[in-house]
Amino acid sequence: MKMKNAMAAALVIGAPTQVMAVSINDYDRTGNDGELNVYMRAVHIDTRIENDLMDDLFGGIPIGERLGGTALGVVTDYESRYWMDSIGFDASLYGVAKIDARPEDRDLFDDTSGDSKSFGKLGQANLKFRHGGEHWLAAFQAGRGRFDAGTVVTKDTRAVPGSYQGARGQMRFEGLDIGPLPGVLSLDAAYINRTSPRDREDFEKIVSESGEEITDIKTFGVEYDARLIALKFARGVARDFNRNTSYGLTLRAPIGEDGGVLLETQYYDFQKEGELWDHDWASGDAAYDDDANWLNVNLGVEIARWGLGLSYSKSEAELSNGMLGYAYFDHGDNADGLMDAWTRSGNDFNNDGEEAWQIGVQYDFSGHSLGRIPLDGVNAMAIFKRGEFDATNPLSGVSSEVEEKQLEYRLNYRFDEPEHEGVSVGLIYTRYWINEDFVALVSAQPDNVLNGEELRVYVDYAF
């Protein structure tokens, strides 16, 4: 049961002036604007999986039936001021201490050598530049950093965030209004040639699923936001590997003084881009033959403290080598793609031909109390997903309709009391079911289709 994206926003609700993504963590954990920020995270992940067919055929699940571990991460961020309002420097030190780890430790630590270990690294070290005018601003960074741009994203769902090496540029233009609606145009682009994932120490070459070296990733994005309507386009190319494109349309409207409704459509197009993808296909590691796509339609409503999210998605990812394909967005095994599909959390529900529905409900307990304990800063969420697709049983040769379900509970508490300021706690419990055990034998993402449950606990503290 794959959980690498369990912290991605799953319920998105919109007020008329913004879109809010409910997520227990963010790599800007401090909430501070100072030059030097220090924060730590304790994370515990306990995953239990099962598959009766694998027990009968192989005597158990090859990766083990209980996965996870416990770690403590510390991040020191330095963000200099801009000298002459033009040039500055950013640097970050990351440290991860292993407290406990089981086999296949859910990527809490570097397991590329077969050993889980503690580590430390220089997570960021980049020069930054900026220049602007009355209605525009341009910024540029070069070196190592948390470079979110275009179709590439920095993940921070473990003890410390990941990093990339390369360069990123951004531009923002204001005053492009539509009547009374304030219009803002944003452009961004990045070049990346090394990556340091959240679970390991070194800055390493980008590689495909089968371990072939990918020279670089080039990506760009364009967004126009006029408050009640927003348009997005992004494209990223991993050289000789794949080309990913995303399109987005968002419509927003207010409901009274303290609510809003959001309708969002996202479409992702995936294409192979050269011989490295062919190598993955030949070795059985490709997600699709030549192309795949993923459609995601979402409706979010927020009224007072309540939030409701409904989502529908449809995936197409034909794979003709005998395996069940899936819609795949990342630009390599160790580079993460920016995918905001609401149904992409926990198990991604992105198998070939799959249709999935999701409902999420959120409540903000601010203003309430439990006895004498104030509940300001407490958010709770429940999410249910259901997907259906067809797959062929390799033992009988018979095609069956497969149904998968996921139920997820999330609780987040950021302490506002002066004596506990800077502390936040997050908890996620997920239960996943699939009605056909044989799917794990034919899936190109077998860890993503195993019955099981997972508990995650996060404690963040910003000094």
Side-chain angles (χ1 to χ4, degrees), residues 380-449:
M381 190 194 323
I383 303 166
F384 177 74
K385 290 192 285 189
R386 180 178 181 273
E388 291 184 348
F389 59 95
D390 293 330
T392 300
N393 189 326
L395 304 179
S396 66
V398 177
S399 179
S400 302
E401 184 178 89
V402 180
E403 180 181 276
E404 58 177 347
K405 299 177 182 178
Q406 181 170 300
L407 183 62
E408 186 172 332
Y409 300 99
R410 303 185 184 192
L411 182 67
N412 184 31
Y413 182 22
R414 181 175 293 276
F415 291 80
D416 293 328
E417 298 83 357
E419 61 269 26
H420 301 120
E421 188 176 0
V423 178
S424 62
V425 179
L427 182 147
I428 300 177
Y429 173 77
T430 303
R431 178 70 185 173
Y432 172 82
W433 306 266
I434 189 166
N435 68 335
E436 296 286 359
D437 284 347
F438 76 81
V439 176
L441 303 179
V442 298
S443 174
Q445 47 176 353
D447 295 352
N448 204 27
V449 287

Side-chain angles (χ1 to χ4, degrees), residues 227-250:
R227 187 169 293 185
L228 299 186
I229 183 172
L231 298 168
K232 294 182 180 180
F233 174 83
R235 172 166 291 174
V237 177
R239 188 183 300 189
D240 296 325
F241 185 58
N242 66 4
R243 180 177 78 248
N244 300 316
T245 307
S246 65
Y247 308 84
L249 169 64
T250 302

Side-chain angles (χ1 to χ4, degrees), residues 273-405:
E273 187 70 13
E275 62 179 12
L276 297 184
W277 188 269
D278 293 333
H279 293 167
D280 271 18
W281 190 96
S283 64
D285 294 315
Y288 50 83
D289 287 344
D290 301 315
D291 56 71
N293 60 76
W294 193 348
L295 172 68
N296 190 225
V297 182
N298 314 295
L299 175 66
V301 180
E302 182 183 57
I303 300 177
R305 295 185 176 91
W306 287 95
L308 172 68
L310 300 174
S311 183
Y312 167 82
S313 65
K314 176 68 181 293
S315 304
E316 298 289 348
E318 183 179 352
L319 190 56
S320 59
N321 61 1
M323 304 296 286
L324 175 68
Y326 63 102
Y328 173 79
F329 190 74
D330 296 345
H331 291 293
D333 179 58
N334 52 358
D336 295 304
L338 176 59
M339 196 165 198
D340 296 325
W342 292 14
T343 52
R344 195 188 191 210
S345 86
N347 298 73
D348 291 342
F349 287 66
N350 61 341
N351 299 286
D352 179 37
E354 181 165 14
E355 291 186 275
W357 292 88
Q358 173 178 290
I359 181 170
V361 179
Q362 173 201 325
Y363 187 75
D364 182 353
F365 285 88
S366 297
H368 296 293
S369 62
L370 183 62
R372 294 185 176 181
I373 303 175
L375 298 179
D376 294 341
V378 177
N379 287 278
M381 190 194 323
I383 303 166
F384 177 74
K385 290 192 285 189
R386 180 178 181 273
E388 291 184 348
F389 59 95
D390 293 330
T392 300
N393 189 326
L395 304 179
S396 66
V398 177
S399 179
S400 302
E401 184 178 89
V402 180
E403 180 181 276
E404 58 177 347
K405 299 177 182 178

Side-chain angles (χ1 to χ4, degrees), residues 215-234:
T215 304
D216 55 44
I217 299 171
K218 298 174 182 177
T219 183
F220 72 93
V222 181
E223 179 180 1
Y224 176 75
D225 194 328
R227 187 169 293 185
L228 299 186
I229 183 172
L231 298 168
K232 294 182 180 180
F233 174 83

Side-chain angles (χ1 to χ4, degrees), residues 71-92:
L72 178 66
V74 178
V75 175
T76 301
D77 274 342
Y78 174 75
E79 299 181 11
S80 78
R81 294 184 173 90
Y82 283 90
W83 179 67
M84 296 193 64
D85 202 34
S86 298
I87 184 171
F89 178 76
D90 292 339
S92 299

